[in-house]
Amino acid sequence: MLNGHQREQKNPGAGITVLTVTARFPNLVQPWLVNQLIEVFENGGENRLLAATADREVLPDNVRSYGLAERCEYLPASSKTLLVHLLAEMFRKRGLMRVLRGISRLPRVFMSRRLGVRQKIDAILMLPYLGLSGIDVVHSHSEMMGTRAMPIVVALGVPLVITFHGLPPVGVKPISRKERERYTAHAYAILLNTEFAKRQYVSIGASPEKIKILPQGLRMDDFPFKPREVHTGDALQVLSVGRFHPDKGQSYSLEALQILKASGHAVEWHMVGNGPDRERLEAQAVSLGVADQVHFYSKLSDTELRGLYDQAQVFVLASVRSEDGFHEETQGVVLQEAQASGLITIAASTGGIPECIDDGVSGFLVPDRSGKAIADKIAFVLEHKERWEAWQNAGRQWVESRFEVGEIGRRTWQIYQDAIGEAPVGPVSER
C-alpha cells in the first residue's frame, strides 16, 4: 500500500485505505457505521479505525465477521496516557519506526495555520499516530474526536471527509464555534443525512459549500420484510429502540401506554437502549401502573434485537424537540430498520425525522412531548387493520428507494475517489 505522499503514482479509487475516526468503536447503537465500513470492503478498499473508547460487552455480528475490532486503534484522552503509549511504542521495533515517521512530519503540523496551539502541543505526544502509513483518506464521524485527530490528518497530508450526526445530548459539551470552523474548513466534503442537519450545521459554523446530503444506509438483508398482524385476543407488540435519555422521549411513550391501557387496549411495549435514564423510566412505569406491560432491555446482541423486531407490529420513536432547536434527531436510523422490517412506524415530528417518513403512507408523524398523540395514533392503527398491508409495503419500498446501503456506499466511495484525486501531494494546502 502506498502512503498518502505517493498518491500521484496511484489510480484514485484503487485500493483506497480509509482511516475512520469515531468516538466509540465498537458501538452497539451505531450499526450504520459498521455498514459504511463494510461498503469500503465491498468497493475494494481497506479499513483502519481510530476511536476513544469501545463497547466491549457485546460484539456486533458484522464487527466480528469482518474483523473490524482488530483494525481499530485507540487514542488516549489524557496527556499522561498518551505519554505512556508513546514511550511503549519507542521500545517496539515497528512502533519506533512509526514514532520516527511521526517526528519527520512534525514540521508540517507546527506550520499549519489550521491547528490551534493546544493541538500542536498534543501532536508531540501523538507521534505514533502521526506516523501512520498507508492511509489515503480520513473520514471523521465525531466532532470531538475529529478535532483531536486534526494533527494526524495534517501530518498524513491526506484529505478529510466529515460526517456530522448531530450535536451531543444535553450535558455533553460540544466543541467551540472556532474549533468547528477550523475543523470543517479543512474538510474536502461534509456529509449530512438530512436537510435539517444541513441547516443546523451551517447555523453553528460549518462551511455550506462543502455539504453533501447523504443519509446513513441500511443493509436490507439484515432486516427482512415480514407482514404483521394482531390475532384476536393477542396484545399489540410495540417496539422502541434508542438510548435511555430524556431526548428520546420514552417518558411520553409510557404515558401513551397508560392511556391505551385505560382505554381497554391490550399492548405490550418493548424498550431497547443503553444510557442513564433507564432506572427513572422503570420507576415511572411503576408509578403509571404499566410496569407489567413494558419490558426494558440493554446490551442486546444483534440476534436478540432482531428477534424483537421480528415479534413486534408497531414501532415508536418519540424523540423530542430541544428547547434551543439544535439537539434533535437528524435521521433516526431505527426508523428505517422498522419500516424495512414491516413494522408500522410512528415517530415524533422533530428534527430530520419528517424527511425520513412519508406521513400517512410509509409511517406516521405525531407532535412531540405528547403521550396522548402517540396513544391516539396507535389506536387509529388498531382500528384500521385492513390498511396494514399497504402501510407495511409502502414502508419497505420507502427504505429501499432512499436508504439502501449499496447505493449510499457507492456514492461515499465516489466522494473518496474525488477527494484523493483533488488533494495536493505532500502537506495539506493552507489556502
Side-chain angles (χ1 to χ4, degrees):
M1 173 61 66
L2 300 173
N3 66 36
H5 311 299
Q6 295 173 299
R7 286 194 305 276
E8 74 278 10
Q9 301 172 15
K10 178 178 181 176
N11 176 29
I16 293 173
T17 295
V18 181
L19 176 64
T20 295
V21 176
T22 185
R24 185 182 296 269
F25 190 86
N27 190 333
L28 294 176
V29 298
Q30 292 182 343
W32 44 261
L33 179 57
V34 175
N35 291 341
Q36 181 170 305
L37 296 170
I38 292 173
E39 286 305 303
V40 170
F41 291 133
E42 293 292 326
N43 284 280
E46 179 55 82
N47 284 297
R48 304 274 293 278
L49 293 105
L50 188 63
T53 58
D55 288 328
R56 301 185 186 277
E57 293 87 349
V58 180
L59 199 63
D61 294 345
N62 283 337
V63 171
R64 182 185 301 106
S65 60
Y66 283 88
L68 291 169
E70 291 76 25
R71 289 171 164 83
C72 188
E73 295 188 43
Y74 294 92
L75 183 62
S78 71
S79 297
K80 180 179 179 180
T81 309
L82 274 171
L83 178 60
V84 171
H85 179 65
L86 171 59
L87 294 174
E89 287 293 292
M90 292 177 68
F91 286 95
R92 296 173 54 247
K93 184 176 180 180
R94 293 182 63 182
L96 179 59
M97 292 300 297
R98 276 179 53 168
V99 170
L100 293 175
R101 277 198 302 269
I103 292 172
S104 72
R105 295 168 179 171
L106 273 177
R108 74 178 62 155
V109 173
F110 292 151
M111 289 187 296
S112 174
R113 294 193 296 274
R114 287 188 176 154
L115 296 177
V117 174
R118 178 59 185 271
Q119 289 173 309
K120 294 178 181 180
I121 294 173
D122 286 346
I124 299 172
L125 299 177
M126 292 183 185
L127 291 174
Y129 306 97
L130 270 57
L132 287 168
S133 62
I135 306 299
D136 299 295
V137 61
V138 175
H139 191 157
S140 172
H141 289 265
S142 163
E143 282 198 315
M144 190 66 71
M145 268 294 288
T147 300
R148 288 191 62 217
M150 279 303 301
I152 300 170
V153 179
V154 171
L156 298 180
V158 298
L160 171 67
V161 174
I162 290 171
T163 294
F164 173 69
H165 298 283
L167 292 174
V170 175
V172 179
K173 184 180 179 181
I175 65 174
S176 69
R177 187 181 184 98
K178 184 176 181 181
E179 288 173 317
R180 182 175 296 113
E181 288 172 350
R182 283 201 299 249
Y183 172 59
T184 58
H186 197 96
Y188 168 79
I190 302 170
L191 311 184
L192 301 175
N193 48 30
T194 56
E195 291 292 339
F196 167 80
K198 177 179 179 179
R199 294 190 298 272
Q200 181 188 69
Y201 211 31
V202 169
S203 72
I204 57 176
S207 305
E209 70 277 3
K210 299 180 178 182
I211 290 176
K212 302 177 187 295
I213 303 299
L214 192 66
Q216 275 88 59
L218 191 72
R219 304 188 73 80
M220 304 303 294
D221 290 345
D222 289 344
F223 295 91
F225 176 80
K226 184 183 80 171
R228 316 298 171 107
E229 59 182 4
V230 179
H231 299 290
T232 302
D234 291 343
L236 178 74
Q237 303 296 313
V238 181
L239 176 64
S240 294
V241 179
R243 71 185 181 279
F244 293 127
H245 191 280
D247 61 19
K248 291 297 184 181
Q250 289 104 335
S251 291
Y252 302 101
S253 293
L254 292 176
E255 291 177 6
L257 181 56
Q258 182 191 43
I259 294 170
L260 289 165
K261 181 179 179 179
S263 302
H265 293 292
V267 178
E268 286 190 26
W269 210 299
H270 305 268
M271 293 191 176
V272 181
N274 305 301
D277 218 26
R278 176 167 172 167
E279 289 187 6
R280 186 189 67 79
L281 291 168
E282 290 174 331
Q284 182 186 5
V286 172
S287 68
L288 292 176
V290 296
D292 58 338
Q293 294 173 265
V294 61
H295 312 278
F296 295 92
Y297 310 84
S298 294
K299 301 186 184 303
L300 295 184
S301 67
D302 289 346
T303 300
E304 291 168 328
L305 178 57
R306 287 169 190 160
L308 290 176
Y309 272 104
D310 189 60
Q311 75 177 32
Q313 294 99 23
V314 170
F315 186 94
V316 173
L317 181 64
S319 298
V320 302
R321 190 183 311 274
S322 67
E323 293 181 357
D324 59 12
F326 282 122
H327 180 67
E328 296 181 26
E329 203 85 52
T330 58
Q331 178 178 330
V333 177
V334 291
L335 295 175
Q336 288 84 63
E337 295 175 354
Q339 291 176 95
S341 301
L343 279 72
I344 297 172
T345 304
I346 300 169
S349 183
T350 63
I353 288 177
E355 300 175 50
C356 301
I357 288 180
D358 188 2
D359 188 25
V361 179
S362 74
F364 299 95
L365 298 173
V366 296
D368 71 319
R369 301 178 188 271
S370 174
K372 183 178 185 304
I374 297 170
D376 288 348
K377 190 59 68 176
I378 291 176
F380 170 82
V381 167
L382 284 170
E383 292 163 4
H384 293 83
K385 293 180 181 177
E386 76 282 358
R387 299 171 64 180
W388 278 31
E389 183 178 0
W391 289 332
Q392 292 165 347
N393 288 329
R396 177 72 180 194
Q397 293 166 9
W398 174 265
V399 177
E400 286 179 336
S401 64
R402 290 165 175 80
F403 301 97
E404 195 275 320
V405 73
E407 175 58 26
I408 291 170
R410 285 187 288 274
R411 290 168 61 189
T412 305
W413 190 253
Q414 186 61 55
I415 290 168
Y416 293 156
Q417 290 179 304
D418 294 344
I420 293 170
E422 293 186 20
V425 175
V428 175
S429 171
E430 297 295 340
R431 293 191 298 272

